[in-house]
Amino acid sequence: MSTTPETAPKRGSRLPRLARRAQLLEAAQEVFVANGYHAAAMDDIADRAGVSKPVLYQHFPGKLELYLALLDTSCDAIVASVRDALKSTDDNKQRVTATMHAFYDYVANAQGAFRLVFESDLTNEPSVRERVDRVTHECAEAVSEVISADAGLSRQQSMVLAVSLVGMAQVSARYWLAADNPSLPQEHAADLVASLAWRGIGGFPRTDG
Amino acid sequence: MSTTPETAPKRGSRLPRLARRAQLLEAAQEVFVANGYHAAAMDDIADRAGVSKPVLYQHFPGKLELYLALLDTSCDAIVASVRDALKSTDDNKQRVTATMHAFYDYVANAQGAFRLVFESDLTNEPSVRERVDRVTHECAEAVSEVISADAGLSRQQSMVLAVSLVGMAQVSARYWLAADNPSLPQEHAADLVASLAWRGIGGFPRTDG
DNA sequence: GGTTTCGTGGAGGTCAAGATCGGCGTGCAG
DNA sequence: CTGCACGCCGATCTTGACCTCCACGAAACC
């Protein structure tokens, strides 16, 4: 029997630096996701990781930096996911569907990372605000390029539309997750919202109001 | 000479209880909107109102109750605004436009009350979470009734669509406000998003995917 | 097998912010 | 004119959370 404590690191075990850091990040993510930034105490994170506070501070200079590290990962994940979805096909309708599914996947999986991005309670901190806004902005910009390529709208106009689509995906996905009635499976909900989005954005060059 | 300091209450002036309370609420709203809940100090609110902290605590039992009072007002305002917009006409397309304009008006005016609802940094507090979720839920429910009346969808399905529309309005309006380029006037932006929404939701009974 | 070294742990300092007590000035009744 | 009541202010207390100091134990090396 291998005695590798891969998922059950007991208290007192010495870990290599990178493994320890990864473990701390995972524990911190759990606590931040569950409690938010303010209600999350460094003691809780240390306890959750099975270490004491000083080791936490040997890996991260402070609470904010720890939070920002997790936030950066989460932000990069959703942005990359959206970019991949847009690159996955050349058919715009399928692009919409793929992007919507990317959002729903991110909200449903990713161990609640979306809470750090879309439900952060530290948006007054400029560094956090900047990152969170960046997510919406970069996602919308990626969508906007596709829109303005085919719809012939101004940059501002296509950005407003793109932000609308991103907001639709983000808010509906969070609502779907919060509504704990699994009568609507994830794929069906995403498809439904995708069809709404595609009806709205598809063939937009017509400006018949 | 009337010494009524109607809009410039200097420090030391004695006000009737209700007027003082209203003034405190206004000052608190400004500080909470500017700084968020956590960064807002009771000292700041008292200073902004031109009184000392004990007076504040003679009107409100604590910081949370003060915040909740403002939050309730803001929540009721947007929900009522959406309901009025939906009731304002029988043409569904104009309903969409009116509702979208209601959101944009709320975000642009209402002295930043939308920040308390859509950008609260106290969503971990259950009482706050409940109120904020209620706003999206009630707005979406009002929209959902119109949808399910005409589109023949299940309750869950029309709710997901309604939440999507609400999310679209909410996120795009906030983005439009944050983007300080007035190249897109409020009415144009709202009309653009309304047209997107109407194309998406109008004539939804077709399920051509 | 001894020593050195490094990581770990519990206990404590500091500080900000929410929440509260003794003086004071003002307006009114007699 | 004089005493009284009332509401406001400066100064203070406490709590809670972030962030470090001193002793211990285990691993590594000769």
Side-chain angles (χ1 to χ4, degrees):
Chain A
M1 77 196 319
S2 67
T3 59
T4 56
E6 48 190 5
T7 58
K10 52 191 153 305
R11 200 170 183 90
S13 70
R14 278 156 106 101
L15 263 61
R17 191 160 183 82
L18 273 166
R20 180 67 86 194
R21 182 188 160 94
Q23 183 204 6
L24 291 175
L25 282 171
E26 187 179 341
Q29 168 122 340
E30 291 172 14
V31 175
F32 280 135
V33 163
N35 298 46
Y37 180 84
H38 295 288
M42 293 296 264
D43 306 74
D44 298 348
I45 296 172
D47 285 355
R48 172 72 96 145
V51 299
S52 74
K53 265 186 292 183
V55 283
L56 201 50
Y57 282 95
Q58 281 163 7
H59 284 265
F60 301 96
K63 192 184 182 183
L64 178 61
E65 287 78 10
L66 174 57
Y67 187 77
L68 288 180
L70 293 167
L71 185 62
D72 278 333
T73 304
S74 303
C75 290
D76 293 349
I78 180 58
V79 171
S81 200
V82 166
R83 291 212 170 112
D84 286 351
L86 287 172
K87 265 191 296 194
S88 68
T89 175
D90 280 345
D91 180 45
N92 279 338
K93 182 180 171 187
Q94 287 187 0
R95 273 207 253 250
V96 170
T97 304
T99 307
M100 199 61 65
H101 278 264
F103 265 96
Y104 273 74
D105 282 341
Y106 181 70
V107 168
N109 313 3
Q111 28 196 64
F114 78 97
R115 289 197 183 277
L116 303 181
V117 182
F118 298 132
E119 298 180 3
S120 176
D121 58 344
L122 198 64
T123 52
N124 303 105
E125 179 67 29
S127 48
V128 173
R129 167 79 76 160
E130 191 265 343
R131 283 163 171 81
V132 169
D133 286 351
R134 225 172 127 87
V135 167
T136 300
H137 189 78
E138 292 190 357
C139 288
E141 212 159 40
V143 173
S144 166
E145 285 172 14
V146 178
I147 292 177
S148 68
D150 292 347
L153 293 171
S154 81
R155 179 171 182 77
Q156 276 90 15
Q157 287 177 319
S158 57
M159 268 303 280
V160 167
L161 293 182
V163 168
S164 302
L165 295 176
V166 170
M168 183 159 69
Q170 169 202 325
V171 173
S172 77
R174 291 201 289 125
Y175 172 84
W176 168 81
L177 187 72
D180 48 339
N181 46 2
S183 56
L184 266 186
Q186 176 182 339
E187 292 81 11
H188 291 192
D191 283 339
L192 188 62
V193 179
S195 79
L196 175 72
W198 174 245
R199 278 166 199 249
I201 201 66
F204 206 92
R206 302 172 299 163
T207 53
D208 56 285
Chain B
M1 61 185 330
S2 68
T3 58
T4 57
E6 48 191 2
T7 58
K10 52 190 150 307
R11 200 172 183 85
S13 71
R14 276 152 111 108
L15 262 61
R17 193 160 183 82
L18 272 166
R20 180 67 84 192
R21 182 189 161 92
Q23 183 205 8
L24 291 176
L25 282 171
E26 187 179 341
Q29 168 123 340
E30 291 172 14
V31 174
F32 280 135
V33 163
N35 300 56
Y37 180 83
H38 296 287
M42 293 295 264
D43 305 73
D44 298 349
I45 297 172
D47 285 354
R48 173 72 94 143
V51 298
S52 74
K53 259 187 299 182
V55 192
L56 202 50
Y57 282 94
Q58 282 162 8
H59 284 263
F60 301 95
K63 191 185 183 183
L64 178 62
E65 288 79 11
L66 175 56
Y67 187 77
L68 287 180
L70 294 167
L71 184 62
D72 277 332
T73 305
S74 303
C75 289
D76 293 349
I78 180 58
V79 171
S81 201
V82 166
R83 291 214 171 110
D84 287 351
L86 288 172
K87 264 191 297 194
S88 70
T89 175
D90 280 345
D91 179 45
N92 280 336
K93 182 181 172 187
Q94 286 187 359
R95 272 207 253 252
V96 170
T97 303
T99 307
M100 199 62 66
H101 278 264
F103 267 96
Y104 272 74
D105 282 341
Y106 181 69
V107 168
N109 313 4
Q111 25 193 69
F114 77 97
R115 291 199 182 275
L116 303 182
V117 182
F118 298 133
E119 298 180 2
S120 176
D121 57 345
L122 198 65
T123 52
N124 303 106
E125 179 68 29
S127 49
V128 173
R129 168 79 76 158
E130 191 265 344
R131 283 163 170 83
V132 169
D133 285 349
R134 226 172 126 87
V135 167
T136 300
H137 189 79
E138 291 190 359
C139 288
E141 212 159 40
V143 173
S144 165
E145 285 172 14
V146 178
I147 292 177
S148 67
D150 292 348
L153 292 171
S154 80
R155 178 170 182 79
Q156 275 91 15
Q157 286 177 320
S158 56
M159 269 304 280
V160 167
L161 293 181
V163 168
S164 301
L165 295 176
V166 169
M168 183 159 71
Q170 170 204 322
V171 174
S172 77
R174 292 201 288 126
Y175 172 84
W176 167 81
L177 187 72
D180 48 338
N181 46 1
S183 56
L184 265 186
Q186 176 183 340
E187 291 82 10
H188 291 192
D191 284 339
L192 188 62
V193 179
S195 79
L196 175 71
W198 173 244
R199 278 168 200 244
I201 200 65
F204 206 91
R206 300 172 299 161
T207 52
D208 55 279

